[in-house]
Amino acid sequence: MNYKFLPYGRQTIDDEDIAAVVAALRSDWLTTGPAVAGFESAVCAYTGAEHGIAVSNGTAALHAAMFALGIGQGDEVIVPPMTFAASSNCVLYQGGTPVFADVAPETLLIDPTAVEAAITPRTKAIIAVDYAGQPCDWDALRDIADRRRLHLVADSCHSIGGGYRGQKVGTLADITVFSFHPVKHITTGEGGMAVTKDEALATRMRTFRGHGITTTATEREKIGGWFYEMVDLGYNYRITDFQCALGISQLSKLDAWVARRNTLAHFYDIFFAAHPEMGIRPLKRNEDTVHAYHLYVVKHPQRDTTFQYLRNNGVGANIHYIPVHLHPYYRKNLGAHEGMCPVAEAAYREILTLPLWPSMTDADVTRVCNLLRAYSHGQ
Ligand SMILES: *Cc1c(COP(=O)(O)O)cnc(C)c1O
């Protein structure tokens, strides 16, 4: 039988989303208009943050965060190795130095003990990643940040819609960053946002998004003026109105999608618990958190051959991630090497990301589970 290919993640777009984008295209504003401000307010209302700065992608939002916090040459920022390279590249963009703190073996979330051990007199900030959608131990990280006077940034590109001890993701760090790439929970095609409750940080990030210029073209048009000043070296990290119209429409479905992701993850959990002979171990789920399940990651004893078997059978398994410090750029330019983060390096050999997205059917999950079982029985 011929099945459709199941990628590890994908967007869900409905007629309402399409109508929202069409309406934006027919409006007077294609960029930096009411939909951008509307999307920022909607994400703030949803997360409980006070200021939102929508930008062209999640990486730009991370860069804006590093700029706003004044990270520069000689500054160290602590980052986890088990993440997408953008989490630490943003430190390099500003001339700072990322310092890797290893993750905990069961959750692959940054280990607060390793963070504390990585602090030096040059440390300025911690970037923690809610890996796979599970919020980090934010109380422990906040305690370290306060005691050691460090800024705390959440790379929550995996965890919008998640929560920790009664608080929504978006309010747990000084600045929280989201991505709206199609594999993430909600999409704008490409897009990102930084949220904060600090007005000064928000102003700096807003200026950074638009070339470091103090007023936007829209604001100047409103007052009928022409004068502007460039006060910082910013970038063009703007996002369009039609993208943000899509974002607003997508956000209205986020809660239902996070719930569906949890249901599907639970389905996998139950299956693997019922078949211990397969040797598949899902990552640990912490108490007191709302897991947003961006990724469903397991540890698998025959990871490489299983990956190939799934791919050969139309299932787009994936690996998240190659530890960042092992990439050639980091080895060459930062002297990073094997052995720096043994927990992440050991996990990397075993982790496998299985398909998970909200419009996946129960039958799709069953198909993945049955393939895995058939393969393990054939071994
Ligand atoms: C997706 C992602 C990013 C980057 O977001 P883009 O929108 O692709 O630039 C950064 N960090 C993590 C952990 C991500 O998953």
Side-chain angles (χ1 to χ4, degrees):
M1 204 195 294
N2 251 336
Y3 286 107
K4 68 176 192 283
F5 181 75
L6 293 177
Y8 80 88
R10 63 156 292 151
Q11 73 277 14
T12 302
I13 301 281
D14 65 14
D15 289 343
E16 212 174 271
D17 295 322
I18 293 166
V21 174
V22 170
L25 288 172
R26 292 191 198 283
S27 79
D28 290 337
W29 297 98
L30 283 192
T31 194
T32 323
V36 174
F39 187 37
E40 290 170 343
S41 319
V43 170
C44 286
Y46 181 86
T47 58
E50 274 167 49
H51 310 276
I53 297 90
V55 291
S56 47
N57 54 69
T59 307
L62 284 165
H63 189 184
M66 291 299 99
F67 171 82
L69 295 175
I71 301 305
Q73 196 104 38
D75 294 336
E76 294 178 356
V77 178
I78 296 172
V79 296
M82 187 49 74
T83 184
F84 183 56
S87 307
S88 65
N89 288 349
C90 65
V91 179
L92 296 171
Y93 296 158
Q94 284 298 109
T97 306
V99 174
F100 294 96
D102 211 347
V103 293
E106 311 270 75
T107 59
L108 306 187
L109 296 173
I110 199 165
D111 178 354
T113 313
V115 170
E116 188 110 41
I119 296 173
T120 76
R122 290 167 175 263
T123 308
K124 289 281 156 59
I126 304 163
I127 301 176
V129 177
D130 294 331
Y131 174 81
Q134 169 148 262
C136 295
D137 186 352
W138 287 103
D139 281 350
L141 294 170
R142 171 55 68 195
D143 174 59
I144 295 170
D146 286 352
R147 271 190 294 107
R148 310 298 290 265
R149 297 184 185 284
L150 305 173
H151 303 294
L152 190 54
V153 174
D155 178 340
S156 296
C157 290
H158 293 186
S159 62
I160 192 168
Y164 172 85
R165 299 190 176 161
Q167 264 178 287
K168 279 243 168 193
V169 166
T171 59
L172 296 158
D174 301 327
I175 298 175
T176 301
V177 168
F178 300 121
S179 164
F180 309 120
H181 181 277
V183 297
K184 307 293 165 67
H185 294 73
I186 60 171
T187 189
T188 57
E190 295 279 357
M193 195 179 296
V195 301
T196 181
K197 65 172 188 310
D198 186 311
E199 194 172 352
L201 291 176
T203 302
R204 282 174 67 75
M205 292 193 283
R206 215 172 278 287
T207 307
F208 187 72
R209 170 178 70 182
H211 304 281
I213 288 170
T214 48
T215 58
T216 65
T218 315
E219 286 161 354
R220 288 194 294 280
E221 198 163 301
K222 269 193 200 133
I223 57 167
W226 56 269
F227 183 75
Y228 65 87
E229 282 181 304
M230 186 196 129
V231 293
D232 283 311
L233 184 60
Y235 290 75
N236 177 355
Y237 277 160
R238 292 187 302 262
I239 185 169
T240 65
D241 258 46
F242 49 95
Q243 288 175 289
C244 288
L246 177 57
I248 294 168
S249 179
Q250 290 260 301
L251 185 63
S252 67
K253 293 151 216 172
L254 178 57
D255 280 339
W257 286 345
V258 169
R260 178 68 182 155
R261 284 173 176 276
N262 272 270
T263 301
L264 295 171
H266 195 57
F267 193 115
Y268 278 126
D269 283 345
I270 289 174
F271 188 88
F272 299 136
H275 298 281
E277 76 285 356
M278 290 167 66
I280 295 182
R281 291 156 295 145
L283 294 185
K284 186 179 152 216
R285 217 191 137 121
N286 287 332
E287 304 281 307
D288 286 352
T289 60
V290 178
H291 197 317
Y293 274 110
H294 164 51
L295 303 172
Y296 188 80
V297 178
V298 297
K299 291 189 182 170
H300 196 294
Q302 289 105 29
R303 197 273 309 274
D304 289 331
T305 50
T306 305
F307 171 90
Q308 207 48 59
Y309 179 78
L310 289 175
R311 282 282 174 107
N312 293 346
N313 285 279
V315 171
N318 219 311
I319 312 296
H320 297 92
Y321 293 92
I322 302 166
V324 177
H325 66 288
L326 299 183
H327 284 296
Y329 183 90
Y330 279 84
R331 291 180 189 261
K332 194 170 110 214
N333 297 289
L334 277 95
H337 54 83
E338 207 106 19
M340 272 175 62
C341 296
V343 179
E345 290 161 20
Y348 165 52
R349 286 175 225 124
E350 288 194 311
I351 48 177
L352 186 65
T353 304
L354 300 177
L356 180 66
W357 74 94
S359 46
M360 232 177 129
T361 64
D362 294 1
D364 291 334
V365 182
T366 303
R367 185 181 139 210
V368 178
C369 289
N370 287 340
L371 275 173
L372 285 165
R373 189 162 56 147
Y375 184 70
S376 82
H377 282 188
Q379 283 302 287

